[in-house]
Amino acid sequence: LLIKTTSVKKVFAEKFNDLSTSDFTVKCQDKQFYVHQRILRGRSDYFEAILQNDCIEKRDKMVKIDDFPPKVVEIFLGYFYNDVLPTVSHSIATLICLLKLADKYNAIELFDAVDSDLSQRFVFALKWPGYDKKFIFLKSLLKKIEEVQVPKITAMIFKWRSTEKDNNSSDDEQWSSLIRRNPNFAMLGGIT
């Protein structure tokens, strides 16, 4: 007797955006995503709170997310179903947007995964031989993530700085300026 088994992850992944089984809708601009309350509650403290209490979203069985692009919302919700973060196929801008979305909706596991991925990418960019615009890169990076506290990216930047061999007075001035302009980064660095 041969019994064919299907992995639980595959079954969950197939249920994402399945109108016939969903009991909740996430609307994003002109797109709708059909999801399951149980999955949302298990993956996001935000959704756990609104679906546990008597909120409008719970009664309407729908939430609107209009401050992020549909592509990013789809990645966000897809992660809830399959635990896969397809980082290679997405730009850094998309991943930073995903990081902000995970932060806003308190999807801790996803936030941690994106923070880890981005910190690894950025350390390679900073260590690239001949990369002479490191502080411009850091300034741009900190501007993009300034409203999100990212412990792994912050730790990576401070670690990179402590191991940087070419420290000179102009770099020290740039570093001091970077910290003064980004007090949240400096504070999180101290905590981290």
Side-chain angles (χ1 to χ4, degrees):
L1 178 66
L2 182 61
I3 300 173
K4 184 179 177 186
T5 60
T6 305
S7 78
V8 173
K9 284 187 178 186
K10 184 177 180 198
V11 170
F12 280 135
E14 290 173 351
K15 295 300 179 191
F16 172 58
N17 220 7
D18 181 359
L19 178 60
S20 67
T21 64
S22 77
D23 62 358
F24 199 80
T25 304
V26 176
K27 291 185 179 181
C28 180
Q29 299 168 14
D30 61 343
K31 268 195 108 161
Q32 292 187 25
F33 301 100
Y34 302 101
V35 293
H36 303 82
Q37 292 180 38
R38 186 174 191 102
I39 301 286
L40 296 176
R41 290 176 75 161
R43 304 294 263 167
S44 161
D45 292 343
Y46 169 85
F47 286 111
E48 173 65 27
I50 67 164
L51 295 171
Q52 184 176 18
N53 297 302
D54 188 29
C55 296
I56 294 170
E57 294 87 352
K58 180 180 179 180
R59 280 180 267 144
D60 292 347
K61 297 185 184 217
M62 189 267 303
V63 69
K64 285 185 180 182
I65 302 177
D66 285 333
D67 49 343
F68 293 93
K71 171 183 169 184
V72 174
V73 172
E74 184 172 12
I75 298 166
F76 172 74
L77 295 170
Y79 180 85
F80 287 2
Y81 282 80
N82 61 26
D83 276 335
V84 174
L85 184 61
T87 58
V88 176
S89 61
H90 298 296
S91 69
I92 292 201
T94 297
L95 292 174
I96 289 173
C97 195
L98 181 61
L99 184 74
K100 291 176 183 180
L101 179 62
D103 183 54
K104 180 176 180 177
Y105 289 94
N106 210 10
I108 297 165
E109 188 179 308
L110 175 59
F111 181 89
D112 188 51
V114 177
D115 186 20
S116 292
D117 181 76
L118 288 173
S119 68
Q120 291 172 31
R121 287 179 187 224
F122 296 149
V123 77
F124 287 115
L126 289 169
K127 290 186 177 211
W128 194 261
Y131 188 66
D132 59 345
K133 295 184 175 41
K134 292 176 183 180
F135 283 99
I136 294 169
F137 171 76
L138 284 175
K139 198 163 139 183
S140 169
L141 170 62
L142 292 176
K143 179 116 178 101
K144 290 175 186 170
I145 60 171
E146 68 186 340
E147 68 271 1
V148 182
Q149 293 200 359
V150 283
K152 293 178 181 177
I153 292 173
T154 303
M156 177 278 304
I157 293 170
F158 276 94
K159 180 71 175 166
W160 164 78
R161 176 66 178 150
S162 71
T163 60
E164 184 70 3
K165 292 182 177 31
D166 298 333
N167 290 340
N168 60 43
S169 62
S170 103
D171 281 354
D172 287 342
E173 289 170 22
Q174 288 179 314
W175 183 251
S176 295
S177 173
L178 195 66
I179 288 175
R180 276 193 308 278
R181 289 185 183 149
N182 300 279
N184 290 338
F185 164 69
M187 183 177 66
L188 184 59
I191 293 168
T192 303

